Amino acid sequence: MDSLLSARGLNKQFVSGGEPVSVLTDLSLELARGESLALTGRSGSGKSTLLNILCGLETPDAGRVEVLGESFDSQRPEAGGKTGTRWGNLRRQQIGVVFQEANLMPALSLLDNVRLRARLAGHEQRNCQDWLERLGIGELAARYPDQISGGQRQRAALAMVFAMKPALILADEPTGSLDRHTAGAVIGQLFELQARHGCGLILATHDPELAARCSQHLDLGHRPEV
Ligand SMILES: Nc1ncnc2c1ncn2[C@@H]1O[C@H](COP(=O)(O)OP(=O)(O)OP(=O)(O)O)[C@@H](O)[C@H]1O
Ligand SMILES: [Mg+2]
């Protein structure tokens, strides 16, 4: 199997009210190129925590992540901020992340946000307007993030991810603030892009229809203890 991402034995606890609470317990997963994985589970089951660990924004208490030829082992700390630099390079060039809260630069128009993302990933900026059009927000290209709705911001964040042509997309409830019709169109674009570029896709969702479209399904709410 042409492995894109492999996670082994992930553990994560948070402290709540002075007590440690286990969010992820000995969790492992495997994703090949071109595969998609739906993360489901009740609110608070750890979907966002897992996505954050898989892109280096959160550190697991134990476990190992191998992604796109890079290996990260929580038991082997690296000197000189090397781990952060390696994760940062992956997020800039190869891992596109769509958060629950869209992360746009407030001082840039939507089009300039998308252009910036493409440039940072080393791509041309010519097609950036197209990405906004395909997500149905082409006419908002000159607006700033605080001049559009939450669902429009979420679509702009997806346009940024598409423009960077990542090898792996991590999307945290990418249609969470969209109506059913718009959500269907956005998801259509997401799966089309994934099929065309053969990139991997991991998405957290509460939508069973969306989960059913993915090639793998991991339910954190009903995960058997290993
Ligand atoms: N930084 C933190 N400090 C303490 N507890 C945290 C922190 N981040 C998350 N948690 C807790 O960890 C658990 C998992 O949170 P997470 O955001 O991963 O859930 P989720 O499955 O994404 O939920 P939702 O469907 O509501 O987005 C929750 O109980 C949450 O309160
Ligand atoms: Mg979440």
Side-chain angles (χ1 to χ4, degrees):
M1 185 170 70
D2 191 5
S3 179
L4 187 65
L5 181 149
S6 159
R8 289 276 156 252
L10 296 180
N11 281 278
K12 184 71 184 176
Q13 289 190 339
F14 290 111
V15 176
S16 170
E19 293 291 314
V21 177
S22 280
V23 176
L24 302 176
T25 309
D26 200 13
L27 185 137
S28 298
L29 62 87
E30 198 81 43
L31 191 80
R33 284 183 198 275
E35 267 192 327
S36 52
L37 166 67
L39 293 177
T40 58
R42 65 186 191 282
S43 178
S45 60
K47 303 180 294 297
S48 298
T49 302
L50 177 57
L51 288 177
N52 283 334
I53 289 173
L54 297 180
C55 67
L57 291 172
E58 191 96 67
T59 309
D61 300 322
R64 179 185 172 86
V65 176
E66 283 174 26
V67 56
L68 292 153
E70 296 276 350
S71 180
F72 301 91
D73 191 331
S74 63
Q75 307 305 314
R76 293 189 192 171
E78 296 172 283
K82 228 177 134 202
T83 301
T85 306
R86 290 196 294 132
W87 274 122
N89 287 339
L90 283 174
R91 284 196 303 273
R92 190 167 60 250
Q93 293 162 354
Q94 299 200 75
I95 304 180
V97 182
V98 189
F99 292 112
Q100 277 178 296
E101 294 299 322
N103 47 331
L104 305 172
M105 301 282 282
L108 296 181
S109 69
L110 297 196
L111 183 56
D112 284 341
N113 263 289
V114 180
R115 283 180 173 151
L116 174 65
R117 209 67 205 78
R119 194 168 71 232
L120 288 173
H123 297 300
E124 290 186 18
Q125 299 166 59
R126 264 186 303 145
N127 302 325
C128 290
Q129 177 71 34
D130 288 354
W131 291 115
L132 291 171
E133 306 280 351
R134 291 174 65 154
L135 290 160
I137 48 171
E139 76 282 7
L140 305 178
R143 295 232 202 139
Y144 289 83
D146 66 355
Q147 297 173 329
I148 59 175
S149 76
Q152 290 164 343
R153 271 196 293 277
Q154 218 174 10
R155 282 183 278 164
L158 263 178
M160 288 162 67
V161 164
F162 290 175
M164 73 179 277
K165 302 191 178 85
L168 172 64
I169 298 176
L170 304 180
D172 200 348
E173 295 179 41
T175 55
S177 44
L178 301 179
D179 64 89
R180 208 172 163 71
H181 174 78
T182 311
V186 166
I187 288 303
Q189 291 288 340
L190 188 57
F191 280 101
E192 192 201 314
L193 180 96
Q194 195 232 343
R196 189 146 37 96
H197 293 300
C199 56
L201 170 66
I202 301 182
L203 52 86
T205 183
H206 289 286
D207 178 351
E209 277 178 42
L210 177 49
R213 288 186 66 165
C214 293
S215 47
Q216 286 191 60
H217 185 183
L218 179 62
D219 189 339
L220 296 181
H222 302 93
R223 201 171 56 84
E225 297 302 324
V226 183

